[in-house]
Amino acid sequence: MIRFLIVSAGLAGLAGCVSVLPTPEAPEAYYRIGPIQPLHELKATVRIREPEASRLFSGRTIAAEDETGALRVVRGVQWTDNATEMMLGGLLDALNGEGEHAALPTGASGPTEYEVTWRMSEFTLYGETARCRLDAALLKGRSRAVISQTTVSTTAVALDSSNAARAKALTDAGRACISELASFVADETAEETPQP
């Protein structure tokens, strides 16, 4: 009887070591948004917040919408980092400033003349078309009064129907969105900031 209990306890211990969960598959390829060349000259100091987004758009997965409107994770491809962090880094890269004019992330200390809050309302694939949509507001630094708002929307078409080509198209759509938003920020802050 004692031998039976010892064997049973040993088997129960071994059973606890066996995992019933499947091992997650590693993606075949990772994609990133940046680095982006600085193309838009700043004439002010601007704080850029990380964009808001749904959980599906903000993480490392790449999502596609089917003809019924259902969103599904695209297998075999993934972002190198969270999409919202990459979009923030891309916007900071795209805004070029010299001297006292700069684009700063939220964690940077010191006052800024302006602040950008934004939301990724679309960052998905639909068939071979990649779609990006950003809704942004430019705020006055101290008062946080809304100065201007914009919606930027871009698309890119994949070279073929492979998941790799579709992910590359989404990268291109994201970069185009960032470039348009950077242009908006540079133009609006230059218009609002009195020049010497």
Side-chain angles (χ1 to χ4, degrees), residues 64-149:
E65 184 179 349
D66 65 19
E67 55 281 342
T68 68
L71 293 170
R72 302 179 193 287
V73 173
V74 179
R75 296 190 182 279
V77 292
Q78 194 174 56
W79 297 120
T80 57
D81 207 340
N82 290 338
T84 52
E85 292 175 12
M86 288 192 307
M87 294 293 269
L88 171 62
L91 185 55
L92 290 168
D93 286 347
L95 292 167
N96 187 27
E98 292 184 12
E100 60 190 40
H101 306 140
L104 304 171
T106 304
S109 63
T112 57
E113 297 167 85
Y114 302 98
E115 185 174 323
V116 175
T117 62
W118 49 316
R119 182 172 61 94
M120 291 169 48
S121 53
E122 181 75 60
F123 199 46
T124 58
L125 296 165
Y126 186 79
E128 294 175 18
T129 302
R131 305 176 300 190
C132 176
R133 179 183 161 131
L134 305 174
D135 304 304
L138 179 67
L139 312 175
K140 197 72 177 163
R142 291 183 191 260
S143 68
R144 298 187 48 83
V146 176
I147 296 169
S148 186
Q149 294 179 302

